[in-house]
Structure formats: C-alpha cells, structure tokens
Amino acid sequence: GGVSWRDFDQTTLGLDAGYAHGHWQFWAELMGVSFEVPAVGRVRALSGYVESRYKIGAQTWLSARWNQSRFGDTPSTGSAWDSDAWRLDLGLGRRFSRHIQAKLQYSLAGRRDDDHPEGRHLFAAQFTVRF
C-alpha cells in the first residue's frame, strides 16, 4: 500500500464534441480513467454518451441519449471491478417562456449482470421556473 493519498496515481482523459445544424443538435463525450487502488493495483474504466435533440418548433424538442460504461479487470482477480452498464434516455421538452419549461423523460437501463434492484425503467417529469 501507501501511506499518503499522493502515493496513488490517477489519469483521466476526456473528449467532448458538439454539432448543430438546422433543427438538429448533437453532443458526445468519452472519458477514460486509470487509477491505483490500495492492495488491488491499477484499475480502468471507460464511459461516454451520444445525445441528439430535434427541435420540432421554436419551443418544443425531442431528445435521445445513449450512455455506456465499461469497467476493466482488477489485476488480482482477473474479473471486472464493476458491472458494465448502459442506459437509453428518451425525452420531450417544451419551453413556455424564457422562465418556464417542462420535460418528460423515459429511461431504460441495463447491466452486464442484469441485476437491477432499482428497476430497469424510469419515468421522470421536470418543471423548471427560473427567476
């Protein structure tokens, strides 16, 4: 092990991109991390997302997002240190004024071990008032 937090290195690399044209907007992000864990060794993870939004009109939009996370193996066991996971989000939003907007979202999630104590489906509603 080590005796100080400075004894354990971490490296994080990321890439972020966005593009918009007409009614379409696109975003993507990819993050990779590698760090040392006491009594385990160096572990790695890779995660990212791809997202798009289509403006139906000046105030209404549809959106979709794919999230993915992959976890490397631990040196001592040869098995992954967490379960790979993914999530698909679908949304509908409307801006009523500069200060008020509402969103509806549905999410479907999955894991490598497919064990979801919280469930695989999520419905959410958001109402935002800005002042």
Side-chain angles (χ1 to χ4, degrees):
V3 294
S4 168
W5 62 270
R6 292 183 188 99
D7 295 337
F8 304 100
D9 292 329
Q10 176 178 338
T11 302
T12 303
L13 299 172
L15 176 65
D16 185 38
Y19 175 76
H21 181 74
H23 292 273
W24 288 96
Q25 294 176 306
F26 300 94
W27 301 272
E29 180 178 283
L30 185 64
M31 297 291 280
V33 64
S34 171
F35 54 94
E36 295 179 22
V37 177
V40 173
R42 182 165 293 281
V43 295
R44 293 177 173 80
L46 181 67
S47 65
Y49 71 86
V50 176
E51 181 175 356
S52 67
R53 180 161 70 172
Y54 179 77
K55 293 182 187 178
I56 297 171
Q59 299 171 317
T60 307
W61 67 88
L62 293 170
S63 61
R65 177 179 172 130
W66 178 263
N67 303 276
Q68 182 95 32
S69 296
R70 296 191 179 271
F71 299 90
D73 293 342
T74 57
S76 57
T77 66
S79 62
W81 59 276
D82 201 352
S83 293
D84 294 348
W86 58 267
R87 189 176 75 221
L88 172 66
D89 302 319
L90 303 172
L92 170 66
R94 176 146 177 99
R95 184 176 300 275
F96 298 99
S97 72
R98 289 181 53 202
H99 301 285
I100 298 173
Q101 75 177 18
K103 294 188 235 177
L104 296 173
Q105 179 177 313
Y106 166 73
S107 296
L108 174 64
R111 293 174 68 95
R112 176 176 43 197
D113 59 12
D114 218 22
D115 182 21
H116 270 281
E118 302 88 19
R120 296 175 49 96
H121 304 276
L122 172 71
F123 293 93
Q126 180 183 38
F127 186 75
T128 306
V129 178
R130 189 176 81 178
F131 50 93

